[in-house]
Amino acid sequence: MMSRLVLVIAPVVLWSSGACAQAADVTACDTLLAARRIDAAGSGHQGPSEAGCRRIARREIGTVEQRAMIGGAPYECMTIAGAGRCLWIVP
């Protein structure tokens, strides 16, 4: 009986955890400077506080166009679905 219950519940749990991971948002900025300021302030997960920055869904992020290392932190300019150019993602 218990094994049947696990077989029924497992797919639902796995599906819901995948859906939550895809729905997560990240902060993306037009400039590397703005992304760096948000990262340095520690507010990258609370919402954009710089001009030219906004929250976007992870599912909209494409491939890396540019990379930069500042103070040991990696920054990537990623293609975004529907955007004309890449946006810098706050790590």
Side-chain angles (χ1 to χ4, degrees):
M1 177 72 176
M2 185 60 107
S3 62
R4 288 182 185 170
L5 182 61
V6 170
L7 289 174
V8 170
I9 293 177
V12 173
V13 171
L14 291 174
W15 176 81
S16 64
S17 65
C20 290
Q22 289 179 354
D25 289 349
V26 296
T27 301
C29 301
D30 293 333
T31 65
L32 176 57
L33 179 60
R36 175 67 183 117
R37 285 182 177 163
I38 289 176
D39 188 31
S43 62
H45 301 291
Q46 299 163 349
S49 58
E50 290 281 328
C53 296
R54 57 195 166 276
R55 301 291 289 174
I56 60 168
R58 284 194 186 273
R59 67 179 174 273
E60 295 178 17
I61 297 175
T63 59
V64 176
E65 282 191 21
Q66 299 176 35
R67 287 194 171 110
M69 286 288 275
I70 300 176
Y75 293 89
E76 297 178 327
C77 194
M78 311 284 286
T79 58
I80 307 297
R85 61 180 213 216
C86 68
L87 297 177
W88 291 94
I89 304 299
V90 177

